Amino acid sequence: MMETLNLIILVISGLIIVSVVTSLVSYRIGVPLLLVFLAVGLAAGEDGVGHVIFDDAPTAYAISNLALAFILFDSGFETRMHSYRVAAGPALVLATVGVLLTTLILAFVAHTVLDFSWFDGFLMGAIVSSTDAAAVFFLLRIGGITLRDRVRSILEIESGSNDPMAIFLTVALVNAATLTNVDQTISAQIFHVIRLFISQLGVGVLGGVLGGGIIIFSINRLKLDSGLYPVFVFSLVLAVFSAVNLLEGSGFLAVYLCGLLIGNAHIRPMGGTLRRFQSAMTWLCQIGMFLTLGLLATPSRFLSVIAPALLIAFVLIFVARPLAVWACLMPFGFSRNETTFVAWVGLRGAVSILLALAPVIGGMPSGQAFFNAAFIVVLLSLLVQGWTIRPMARWLGLIVPPRLGPVDRVELELPGVAGQDSGHELVVYRIAPESPVAKGRALPRWARPSLVVRYGRSMRIHDAGNLLSGDQVYIFTQTPQIPLLDRLFASPTPLVEDDRDFFGDFQLSPDTLLSELADTYGLPVATELRCLSVADFFNREFSGKVEVGDRLPLGPVELIVRAVDGDDAVTEAGLALEPTRASKPKLPIFQSRKELRALFSRLCR
């Protein structure tokens, strides 16, 4: 017994090690990494050199479900709300209507050309109708492709949110086949499908929102050992997934929404630890899922379905996906090149293979044929589309210069500091040749490095003198100030006097009294400060050593020093409506941003 167990552990660990090592090949020659993982599984399987016999479809289905749940959680976790503001509408249309259109087109071709029954055609279309989040996220985030923001956002959101629709269609069709076998009426089948759709969507959304809120509340309130936070979150995510499934909702939709909420929330303390654990677990889940599905496949059985599978893959890549994308994006004003690229990045992956297991587990006579055909479609999609995404993006003119920003970022977890005010990071920049700093721009005190590395030698900022192009600088900063640091160290755009990000939305007289600001707008100013002018306020807080760029919060706004004279006296001040501090107080609910701008326009002289 122990020998068998040790042998199993040895085989599993060996396959994971081989998958990790062969990833180096992917980076060198541009092979989609997930295709490498599948290839390792196939090579180790029954028809490969490893001759490992694994034909337990229910176990493979269970492993893949758990792995996919965590991958979708990570997809939401790594998606910024900014992406939803940019492309939520078209992406969600693609994730729902696009999946349905793809299914319908494939069903029509399978029925008319391949002589499939309408039911088998719809089922085959549903199985391969969704793009794979793992494949798309890897190629976009790790593959070094820098795309236009709107195109990148729509691909990330669609790939992370379209799996529930494909899963619903597949499960509904398999269930309908089961109901047919027990002589249920057509009306009963239709009612069952409608009820399942409402349940999957409604319970999935509700469970995801409630689950995400509970997880955020828990990790921000409980004081655990640092190593327990990731384990706690991982367990809660699986609990949400299983509970929603038991209530006949979409567990995959629920965990995706959980990840979206948690990834965009202030998760303190131990947010950095959670992100590092999340990254490692996602890689492990991807490797485990693709290895499992690769082991389960038997290539010698592919010959019986090779012809119809090749035709389905061809129609999917060159007909169904492009037509569905064109129809969905036409109302949103995307250019022809953008629509073409979105259509091309329709990578199929583990989700399609996983869905193809549903007919097998459901006991359908043609279940194995669906699985083999879906496997071939996925292999061709990864080979044809995955290997050509970079050349296609370049040919369509959608690649943009890489975003200039930090070389590295490390989120700091400060002992004894909790809540939003703990948003500190260590950021590392390599000074760009045309950046304001390289051109001699003086640094405000909040942007001064703690360490400078020049020609491999580390030194303090006082010993380094003027910062040079190519210097590596290490800066401890608050998270919301990072975009300003990007402008200083990594952007070729020069800073000018009317730069609103650095010097505020309005110019404010330094003689303006804080009481005037407080009384006019109701800003929270302490009684002992009301008699001070803006200049006096800066002198008081900085002990008379005021510098250009110094910032002070004043309720929902921020005061900025724009200029000083030879005696360090403030001669010009600015006022920013959107502070860069770690904690951004919100404006009173009864007053709008437009009203605030109008008010301060009257105050500023």
Side-chain angles (χ1 to χ4, degrees):
M1 179 66 181
M2 287 302 297
E3 290 183 359
T4 303
L5 178 61
N6 287 328
L7 181 60
I8 292 174
I9 294 174
L10 180 62
V11 170
I12 294 174
S13 60
L15 289 175
I16 293 175
I17 291 170
V18 170
S19 299
V20 173
V21 172
T22 52
S23 67
L24 298 174
V25 177
S26 172
Y27 288 115
R28 283 181 177 274
I29 64 176
V31 181
L33 186 54
L34 304 182
L35 181 61
V36 173
F37 297 156
L38 270 180
V40 172
L42 288 172
E46 183 177 349
D47 286 350
V49 295
H51 299 293
V52 175
I53 299 176
F54 178 71
D55 57 0
D56 191 345
T59 299
Y61 189 76
I63 293 173
S64 300
N65 263 277
L66 288 175
L68 181 59
F70 206 71
I71 290 171
L72 286 175
F73 172 77
D74 182 67
S75 298
F77 191 82
E78 294 296 335
T79 300
R80 303 277 68 84
M81 282 298 184
H82 170 73
S83 298
Y84 271 85
R85 289 191 290 270
V86 171
L92 294 178
V93 170
L94 268 181
T96 51
V97 178
V99 169
L100 183 59
L101 287 176
T102 302
T103 300
L104 292 174
I105 295 170
L106 286 174
F108 176 79
V109 172
H111 176 72
T112 56
V113 178
L114 298 176
D115 202 27
F116 279 35
S117 68
W118 276 111
F119 181 88
D120 287 349
F122 278 119
L123 182 56
M124 190 70 235
I127 287 172
V128 297
S129 61
S130 71
T131 58
D132 187 77
V136 173
F137 273 64
F138 170 77
L139 287 172
L140 293 184
R141 293 180 177 173
I142 305 174
I145 301 175
T146 307
L147 300 171
R148 294 177 185 173
D149 199 22
R150 187 167 71 152
V151 175
R152 185 185 190 89
S153 296
I154 193 174
L155 290 171
E156 288 185 350
I157 296 173
E158 183 215 1
S159 65
S161 59
N162 66 1
D163 292 334
M165 185 66 176
I167 293 168
F168 159 73
L169 290 174
T170 303
V171 172
L173 289 168
V174 172
N175 286 347
T178 304
L179 289 172
T180 301
N181 291 334
V182 294
D183 299 325
Q184 292 291 322
T185 64
I186 296 296
S187 60
Q189 296 178 40
I190 295 174
F191 175 77
H192 175 76
V193 170
I194 294 174
R195 185 187 66 81
L196 181 63
F197 177 76
I198 295 174
S199 174
Q200 289 275 300
L201 181 63
V203 178
V205 171
L206 182 62
V209 172
L210 288 178
I214 291 171
I215 293 173
I216 294 169
F217 178 84
S218 301
I219 61 180
N220 280 336
R221 295 300 187 277
L222 296 178
K223 295 182 178 180
L224 304 174
D225 181 82
S226 61
L228 289 177
Y229 281 98
V231 177
F232 182 62
V233 172
F234 179 72
S235 302
L236 287 175
V237 169
L238 293 183
V240 170
F241 175 70
S242 57
V244 170
N245 282 333
L246 287 173
L247 295 173
E248 295 190 341
S250 172
F252 294 110
L253 177 59
V255 294
Y256 175 78
L257 291 176
C258 273
L260 185 65
L261 292 175
I262 297 169
N264 287 276
H266 292 284
I267 44 176
R268 304 286 188 268
M270 302 305 160
T273 300
L274 178 59
R275 290 183 184 278
R276 290 188 289 273
F277 175 84
Q278 178 76 19
S279 176
M281 279 300 300
T282 302
W283 275 114
L284 182 61
C285 287
Q286 290 184 33
I287 293 173
M289 180 170 60
F290 276 81
L291 282 177
T292 301
L293 295 175
L295 285 171
L296 186 65
T298 307
S300 59
R301 300 177 184 174
F302 289 173
L303 294 177
S304 61
V305 297
I306 188 70
L310 288 175
L311 179 60
I312 290 171
F314 177 86
V315 172
L316 175 64
I317 295 172
F318 296 103
V319 180
R321 168 73 178 180
L323 285 178
V325 170
W326 176 80
C328 291
L329 296 188
M330 184 170 55
F332 295 99
F334 281 79
S335 69
R336 181 176 58 185
N337 286 2
E338 290 173 334
T339 303
T340 301
F341 186 73
V342 172
W344 190 251
V345 188
L347 293 165
R348 270 52 190 175
V351 176
S352 295
I353 303 175
L354 173 64
L355 292 179
L357 287 175
V360 177
I361 297 173
M364 293 181 61
S366 56
Q368 190 61 47
F370 281 111
F371 176 80
N372 293 335
F375 206 102
I376 293 172
V377 171
V378 169
L379 287 177
L380 286 174
S381 175
L382 290 175
L383 279 170
V384 175
Q385 295 170 291
W387 219 324
T388 58
I389 282 181
R390 186 191 297 274
M392 180 66 74
R394 186 178 295 111
W395 179 61
L396 294 172
L398 297 179
I399 292 183
V400 296
R403 176 187 174 272
L404 295 170
V407 175
D408 196 11
R409 292 174 62 169
V410 180
E411 189 174 2
L412 301 177
E413 295 148 358
L414 305 179
V417 180
Q420 297 180 0
D421 290 334
S422 62
H424 292 76
E425 296 188 35
L426 170 64
V427 292
V428 185
Y429 288 92
R430 189 179 301 278
I431 299 177
E434 300 298 321
S435 64
V437 173
K439 294 292 187 179
R441 177 83 193 187
L443 291 174
R445 70 179 83 211
W446 49 265
R448 287 173 188 162
S450 300
L451 181 70
V452 179
V453 176
R454 180 179 297 162
Y455 305 126
R457 177 189 169 201
S458 62
M459 59 188 72
R460 296 177 302 176
I461 181 65
H462 303 294
D463 299 328
N466 293 331
L467 295 176
L468 307 177
S469 173
D471 284 352
Q472 236 178 329
V473 294
Y474 292 72
I475 308 167
F476 292 96
T477 186
Q478 292 176 298
T479 302
Q481 289 181 337
I482 290 178
L484 298 183
L485 296 174
D486 291 352
R487 294 281 308 280
L488 281 170
F489 293 97
S491 172
T493 306
L495 294 180
V496 293
E497 291 184 0
D498 59 351
D499 190 295
R500 295 174 63 177
D501 289 335
F502 268 86
F503 300 115
D505 298 281
F506 302 104
Q507 185 174 341
L508 189 67
S509 170
D511 298 325
T512 302
L513 295 177
L514 298 187
S515 60
E516 184 181 356
L517 298 176
D519 293 340
T520 305
Y521 191 68
L523 298 176
V525 178
T527 303
E528 64 272 16
L529 300 179
R530 294 176 62 87
C531 61
L532 298 179
S533 66
V534 171
D536 294 336
F537 186 35
F538 276 103
N539 286 329
R540 180 181 186 273
E541 294 298 316
F542 291 102
S543 302
K545 302 293 184 181
V546 183
E547 299 179 7
V548 174
D550 283 341
R551 294 169 174 259
L552 287 175
L554 193 66
V557 300
E558 198 167 38
L559 302 176
I560 305 170
V561 175
R562 296 172 63 109
V564 297
D565 60 18
D567 297 324
D568 294 334
V570 180
T571 58
E572 290 183 26
L575 185 141
L577 301 183
E578 297 183 359
T580 58
R581 297 174 288 114
S583 177
K584 295 185 179 182
K586 295 182 179 179
L587 295 175
I589 193 169
F590 55 84
Q591 288 171 317
S592 67
R593 182 75 63 188
K594 183 178 180 181
E595 291 172 333
L596 181 60
R597 290 183 183 276
L599 171 65
F600 280 114
S601 294
R602 294 195 300 268
L603 285 176
C604 299
R605 296 193 287 270

